[in-house]
Amino acid sequence: MKKILVTGGAGFIGSHLCERLLNEGNEVICLDNYFTGSKKNIIHLLGNPFFELVRHDITEPYYAEVDEIYNLACPASPIHYQYDPIKTIKTSVVGATNMLGLAKRVNAKILQASTSEVYGDPKIHPQPETYWGNVNPIGLRSCYDEGKRCAESLFINYHKQNDVRIKIIRIFNTYGTRMNTNDGRVISNFIVQALQGKDITIYGDGTQTRSFQYVDDLVEGMIRMMHTDEKFTGPVNIGNPLEYSMLQLAEEVIKLTNSSSKIIFKPLPEDDPMKRKPDISLAKKVLNNWEPVVGLEEGLTKVITYFDNVLAE
Ligand code: NAD
Ligand code: UDP
Ligand code: UDP
């Protein structure tokens, strides 16, 4: 039985990861400061004696004896990470330093949840891991993008300087059950608006694209990454390469919810990337032929059912 620490474990992705790790027979410590996460996301795990829930902020040191660490703590939605940009940077940089210090002390393997945002508004399409990105260091999104870029640098240097066993994954837009209805990201916004018969808010002209991955596919990729060859650090892109414009997404959501909602257009936020799509050749190669299996219609249908229940409560 392995002892595994999941930071940000009460969040959207973290809660799915905790559940999966417990199901595989591990002992899990879920650490969270509940900024965007919630006890509701992991309430069903609380009866499991091998699950431990700890309120803790990773910008403060943390001591435990563990075999593996998944470092997910960080707000991920633009409205949340821009709410307190300095805190967002501290979470990525000071938080990563603490978790790396912990990994170093107890010789744990540690995986960093990095992001496609390290590519900024990309000038290469689709984005391979070798692309260095196009990020505005002083823009609205920089607290998140640059924080995550600095965390990657910290990870690689703890590996080189201190022999810490690290894994870096770059997660592309991911959605699924347990996202907050007020998360502010596009999928939750569109589905909630469609279910409530409110206007669907497209920012800009809706031609910008994203590639959406269902959370189960991500969790599978994360766990496979943790188990790759000792010397392999990544970074590896984990995402679904099927690319949609926001206009196409809005139409798909309206269709699947049978909604009478109308599409309206609002201003495009500053530095909003125009397109994004992962090149997943490396992931397929190093993660045992991993590839996403949940398509957009199937994934959206699950989230629509979930939000329908949440909104009814
Ligand atoms: P989320 O906001 O649901 O989860 C983040 C969790 O971290 C929350 O439970 C929050 O309370 C916790 N947290 C935040 N700051 C903390 C701190 N200082 N100390 C302890 N806990 C803290 O977001 P998510 O979508 O589940 O994202 C999880 C991770 O995956 C994040 O690191 C995010 O950057 C990364 N990621 C997500 C996506 C995506 O599309 N969802 C894409 C790329 C990367
Ligand atoms: N740290 C931690 N838990 C541990 C070990 C270290 O939170 O089990 C923190 C420690 O407080 C420090 C950071 O991790 O701030 C980096 O640790 P490292 O040993 O790399 O650096 P140093 O302590 O020498 O500054
Ligand atoms: N977006 C939108 N309407 C919304 C929320 C977001 O059109 O109600 C757009 C946003 O401007 C961006 C895309 O959808 O172009 C994805 O936004 P999200 O915040 O989900 O993720 P990110 O921009 O971080 O990839």
Side-chain angles (χ1 to χ4, degrees):
M1 195 177 228
K2 267 186 298 196
K3 205 167 184 190
I4 304 180
L5 174 66
V6 178
T7 77
F12 153 55
I13 296 171
S15 64
H16 286 275
L17 179 65
C18 287
E19 185 177 311
R20 170 78 188 265
L21 293 170
L22 282 171
N23 286 342
E24 290 183 352
N26 301 291
E27 196 172 336
V28 173
I29 303 178
C30 165
L31 193 154
D32 209 292
N33 71 350
Y34 306 120
F35 173 47
T36 51
S38 154
K39 284 183 186 159
K40 278 193 186 146
N41 288 336
I42 35 88
I43 198 160
H44 59 298
L45 305 177
L46 289 175
N48 187 327
F50 298 107
F51 182 69
E52 195 176 331
L53 180 60
V54 180
R55 178 192 287 265
H56 182 82
D57 191 307
I58 61 161
T59 60
E60 301 293 337
Y62 178 73
Y63 295 86
E65 315 307 310
V66 294
D67 304 301
E68 293 177 357
I69 304 168
Y70 288 85
N71 188 37
L72 272 62
C74 183
S77 165
I79 54 165
H80 293 129
Y81 70 62
Q82 286 164 16
Y83 170 77
D84 185 347
I86 296 171
K87 175 71 189 197
T88 301
I89 299 171
K90 286 184 185 167
T91 294
S92 278
V93 178
V94 181
T97 308
N98 284 331
M99 293 308 107
L100 285 160
L102 169 62
K104 183 177 92 175
R105 183 178 61 81
V106 302
N107 190 25
K109 220 184 323 179
I110 178 165
L111 178 144
Q112 167 67 357
S114 189
T115 167
S116 54
E117 289 282 328
V118 301
Y119 302 122
D121 190 3
K123 297 223 186 291
I124 288 183
H125 195 73
Q127 294 80 54
E129 290 83 353
T130 46
Y131 178 50
W132 291 353
N134 175 38
V135 171
N136 174 359
I138 56 168
L140 264 183
R141 299 171 82 101
S142 68
C143 59
Y144 184 73
D145 302 0
E146 297 290 15
K148 290 283 189 179
R149 286 169 68 99
C150 183
E152 286 199 13
S153 176
L154 278 165
F155 267 70
I156 212 73
N157 286 302
Y158 264 82
H159 173 67
K160 290 182 181 162
Q161 217 172 306
N162 295 323
D163 294 321
V164 175
R165 295 172 295 152
I166 64 142
K167 308 283 174 190
I168 300 170
I169 56 168
R170 292 182 180 153
I171 303 170
F172 282 66
N173 296 63
T174 302
Y175 69 102
T177 57
R178 303 201 200 116
M179 287 183 94
N180 275 323
T181 48
N182 64 352
D183 177 86
R185 279 177 281 189
V186 68
I187 290 203
S188 41
N189 276 7
F190 284 5
I191 294 179
V192 170
Q193 289 162 345
L195 289 174
Q196 297 184 329
K198 294 188 178 150
D199 291 339
I200 304 233
T201 54
I202 288 189
Y203 302 159
D205 63 6
T207 57
Q208 74 271 34
T209 68
R210 294 291 186 276
S211 306
F212 298 103
Q213 151 175 255
Y214 194 71
V215 65
D216 294 353
D217 287 329
L218 167 63
V219 167
E220 178 64 37
M222 282 180 130
I223 291 176
R224 288 195 194 190
M225 179 67 177
M226 188 60 111
H227 298 137
T228 49
D229 186 85
E230 288 281 285
K231 290 191 190 68
F232 182 68
T233 60
V236 177
N237 290 337
I238 304 200
N240 189 324
L242 293 175
E243 185 182 5
Y244 297 86
S245 71
M246 293 313 103
L247 219 39
Q248 286 173 315
L249 177 69
E251 281 157 6
E252 185 71 15
V253 169
I254 290 174
K255 187 189 87 185
L256 294 173
T257 49
N258 266 319
S259 175
S260 56
S261 290
K262 302 273 168 296
I263 290 175
I264 60 163
F265 295 89
K266 293 202 157 183
L268 189 68
E270 183 189 306
D271 292 338
D272 200 275
M274 273 316 291
K275 50 189 176 185
R276 182 181 293 150
K277 168 181 168 162
D279 178 333
I280 58 165
S281 348
L282 180 64
K284 283 184 180 166
K285 195 172 125 206
V286 297
L287 305 181
N288 253 327
N289 295 318
W290 170 87
E291 63 181 334
V293 294
V294 183
L296 190 67
E297 184 172 336
E298 184 187 349
L300 285 179
T301 305
K302 290 185 195 195
V303 182
I304 290 166
T305 309
Y306 171 80
F307 278 170
D308 215 9
N309 288 330
V310 171
L311 293 173
E313 272 169 19

